[in-house]
């Protein structure tokens, strides 16, 4: 049964401006430790890929926060929600800390998709109950 649905669209130009203004501090606020490593690796090879990486993660976490009905308030935090990839390339949500505990206690399961195009990154999330 569906628990919640969330979607988000993010202007990549806004993320670019935040990174230019705040530097890596902005990325560190939004990304988990694992995501920061990926961001740095992508940015070294091609800075635009790093910017798009932050934008897609920002968008995915916003969509997830809407689907679980918490918005950006505890236990939902940017860094407790990580967007990973399965071996197939499919995006997946990896939770940490209090958010993981809360999510598992409710018996929830999440599905996420992300995309980006020229100026925008977009995400869609479906959270369902296991019952």
């Amino acid at each position: 049964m569906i628990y919640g649905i969330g979607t988000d669209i993010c202007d990549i130009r806004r993320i670019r401006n935040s990174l230019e203004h705040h530097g890596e501090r902005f990325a560190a606020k939004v990304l988990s430790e694992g995501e920061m490593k990926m961001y740095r690796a992508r940015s070294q090879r091609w800075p635009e890929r790093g910017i798009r990486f932050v934008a897609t993660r920002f968008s995915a976490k916003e969509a997830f926060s809407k689907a679980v009905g918490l918005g950006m308030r505890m236990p939902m935090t940017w860094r407790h929600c990580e967007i990973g990839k399965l071996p197939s390339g499919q995006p997946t949500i990896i939770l940490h800390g209090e958010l993981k505990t809360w999510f598992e206690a409710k018996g929830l399961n999440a599905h996420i998709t992300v995309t980006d195009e020229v100026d925008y990154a977009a995400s869609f999330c479906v959270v369902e109950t296991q019952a």
Side-chain angles (χ1 to χ4, degrees):
M1 185 165 84
I2 292 178
Y3 179 85
I5 298 171
T7 189
D8 188 75
I9 186 165
C10 174
D11 190 327
I12 295 172
R13 295 166 294 192
R14 195 177 108 217
I15 299 298
R16 182 181 296 106
N17 289 341
S18 293
L19 287 166
E20 287 171 359
H21 187 260
H22 300 288
E24 211 171 80
R25 260 184 340 175
F26 176 75
K29 177 182 174 183
V30 174
L31 304 176
S32 69
E33 288 181 36
E35 290 169 325
M36 276 301 291
K37 289 177 187 173
M38 181 77 71
Y39 162 69
R40 287 180 182 130
R42 288 184 178 201
S43 293
Q44 282 181 337
R45 282 182 268 151
W46 186 29
E48 185 62 24
R49 274 190 84 200
I51 294 166
R52 290 178 176 284
F53 181 82
V54 175
T56 56
R57 272 44 191 181
F58 185 97
S59 175
K61 292 174 187 194
E62 283 281 339
F64 174 78
S65 74
K66 293 170 185 175
V68 295
L70 292 173
M72 284 299 170
R73 61 182 169 80
M74 291 301 286
M76 177 65 198
T77 69
W78 293 107
R79 294 176 52 81
H80 281 162
C81 181
E82 181 175 346
I83 309 303
K85 268 203 284 191
L86 298 175
S88 66
Q90 177 184 357
T92 187
I93 296 176
I94 304 160
L95 302 176
H96 305 282
E98 292 176 48
L99 182 57
K100 180 178 181 178
T101 303
W102 176 86
F103 193 78
E104 289 175 351
K106 290 198 165 282
L108 301 176
N109 186 33
H111 307 279
I112 189 81
T113 187
V114 299
T115 189
D116 63 279
E117 184 64 44
V118 187
D119 293 328
Y120 298 98
S123 300
F124 187 77
C125 183
V126 175
V127 174
E128 52 189 359
T129 59
Q130 294 175 1

